[in-house]
Amino acid sequence: GLKVGQIIKMPGSEITKAMRNLWKLRLFDNVEITQDRRVGDIVYLSIRLSEQSRLAGWSYRGVPQSVHDDLNEILTPFLIKGQVASAANQINAKNAIRKYYIEKGYLDATVDVVVEEAGEKANAVNLVFNIDPKEKIKIEKITCDGCNAITEAELRKYLKETKAKSNLLKKSKFVQADFEADKALVIAKYRNQGYRDAYIVGDTIWRNADGLMEMVVKVYEGQKYYFGNITWKGNTIHTNDQLSRTLGIRKGEVYNEELLESRLRFSIDGRDITSLYMDDGYLFFNVEPTEVAVVD
């Protein structure tokens, strides 16, 4: 933003803008623009820069060689050899490594980075990540607030990936993404038992005095629903009786969202409405259920 012969003010916004432009490059640790001397209305400037170090490579301490390839893969978006080893990239790399271990149940994992000079290259550094995974944090107890239609034992059964440490078949660990998926499974089970309005109100998770996790899942069950009248619209190829026999759901049965969907679109035994029409050549057939609540 500065050039020889340009008219500027001293001090003035041009110098400030020039320094800002250099900082935006994110290549320097320090930027200074100073006046060397002045002759009449001509000023001589010096620009002094301290260039950031380039990344020569990185390594890990505290973890086995078997996980190095996995760690290298997750650091690819943040670290590239030859680029500036900025503080922001180092922080992002540390956070990525810690997230990797948290997702495996090591909730207390710590990661520190040490910057070491690379002797073979000028102005180059190596990053050493000191990793301490610590122990996996196990789940001591899972309880339910609001469970009446299912028992707490059933709730724990439906939480397929989130298991208490007493379970012999599944290792106990807490992974947030798995827990969210498990909660969706719990609601799916509720809806297949007629509780169409069920949802997870919330959950409370804490660490007890022994450092183990305890959790309470709060559920709203709502009322139990049943299938009412089932009618058909838009059908001309098959009669209402044919479609109802294929559907195989009768009035008064407990509402089951999964069963309804499978009988309409895809059933392993081929007993579904969509297959019935496609077998007749209607490849673009579609069926949509419209549910209407029965008042009182």
Side-chain angles (χ1 to χ4, degrees):
L2 296 176
K3 60 183 180 180
V4 174
Q6 178 181 349
I7 298 175
I8 64 172
K9 291 182 179 180
M10 289 291 293
S13 60
E14 294 89 351
I15 300 296
T16 304
K17 182 178 179 182
M19 294 183 66
R20 188 180 298 117
N21 289 340
L22 290 170
W23 278 116
K24 284 182 179 178
L25 295 175
R26 297 182 180 180
L27 298 175
F28 309 107
D29 285 325
N30 190 44
V31 175
E32 294 180 6
I33 300 181
T34 59
Q35 174 181 306
D36 279 355
R37 67 184 191 277
R38 195 165 182 169
V39 179
D41 60 355
I42 297 176
V43 65
Y44 294 83
L45 303 179
S46 286
I47 302 175
R48 294 183 175 86
L49 306 172
S50 177
E51 196 174 47
Q52 289 185 1
S53 300
R54 300 283 174 167
L55 181 61
W58 61 88
S59 58
Y60 312 99
R61 291 176 187 162
V63 292
Q65 185 73 33
S66 57
V67 302
H68 286 197
D69 287 342
D70 290 341
L71 295 176
N72 286 338
E73 185 175 346
I74 66 173
L75 294 187
T76 300
F78 311 111
L79 301 180
I80 300 176
K81 291 182 179 180
Q83 288 194 349
V84 171
S86 67
N89 286 344
Q90 294 176 37
I91 292 172
N92 289 334
K94 286 171 55 178
N95 291 339
I97 294 173
R98 190 162 186 276
K99 180 182 178 183
Y100 169 83
Y101 278 96
I102 287 174
E103 289 178 350
K104 293 184 175 298
Y106 298 93
L107 305 185
D108 293 336
T110 60
V111 182
D112 294 317
V113 61
V114 177
V115 181
E116 298 180 348
E117 290 187 8
E120 69 278 5
K121 295 182 179 179
N123 196 33
V125 296
N126 290 315
L127 302 181
V128 180
F129 294 97
N130 293 316
I131 305 170
D132 184 0
K134 303 189 185 297
E135 296 292 328
K136 275 188 178 181
I137 304 304
K138 297 181 179 180
I139 302 171
E140 173 78 18
K141 185 168 59 174
I142 303 173
T143 56
C144 181
D145 179 5
C147 290
N148 297 307
I150 66 173
T151 64
E152 287 193 347
E154 288 177 313
L155 172 74
R156 290 190 286 269
K157 175 184 175 183
Y158 298 149
L159 295 171
K160 293 185 178 297
E161 299 297 329
T162 309
K163 297 294 184 183
K165 67 183 182 66
S166 58
N167 189 283
L168 299 177
L169 300 178
K170 192 79 178 178
K171 291 183 178 180
S172 174
K173 65 178 180 180
F174 177 79
V175 177
Q176 186 68 42
D178 290 344
F179 183 45
E180 296 301 324
D182 282 348
K183 288 191 292 185
L185 288 176
V186 170
I187 295 306
K189 293 295 182 182
Y190 263 108
R191 291 179 177 172
N192 291 341
Q193 295 180 26
Y195 293 91
R196 186 180 181 279
D197 298 333
Y199 67 94
I200 301 290
V201 177
D203 55 76
T204 305
I205 305 172
W206 70 95
R207 301 275 286 275
N208 60 25
D210 296 326
L212 299 175
M213 297 188 72
E214 296 187 26
M215 56 175 54
V216 176
V217 180
K218 188 172 183 179
V219 177
Y220 171 78
E221 294 180 334
Q223 67 178 12
K224 193 170 186 176
Y225 285 81
Y226 300 85
F227 285 110
N229 295 324
I230 299 175
T231 58
W232 303 90
K233 292 183 179 180
N235 53 304
T236 58
I237 306 302
H238 298 284
T239 66
N240 292 349
D241 288 342
Q242 287 176 312
L243 296 178
S244 295
R245 283 197 300 271
T246 301
L247 186 68
I249 297 175
R250 296 182 179 181
K251 180 179 179 179
E253 291 184 9
V254 173
Y255 176 85
N256 186 322
E257 189 175 71
E258 183 179 344
L259 175 64
L260 175 62
E261 188 64 21
S262 67
R263 292 289 175 83
L264 287 176
R265 306 186 197 285
F266 176 76
S267 179
I268 295 177
D269 59 6
R271 180 185 175 180
D272 60 86
I273 303 299
T274 299
S275 296
L276 182 67
Y277 273 86
M278 285 192 170
D279 289 345
D280 290 337
Y282 292 87
L283 302 184
F284 299 100
F285 168 80
N286 188 40
V287 55
E288 290 294 339
T290 301
E291 298 177 352
V292 182
V294 179
V295 179
D296 299 327

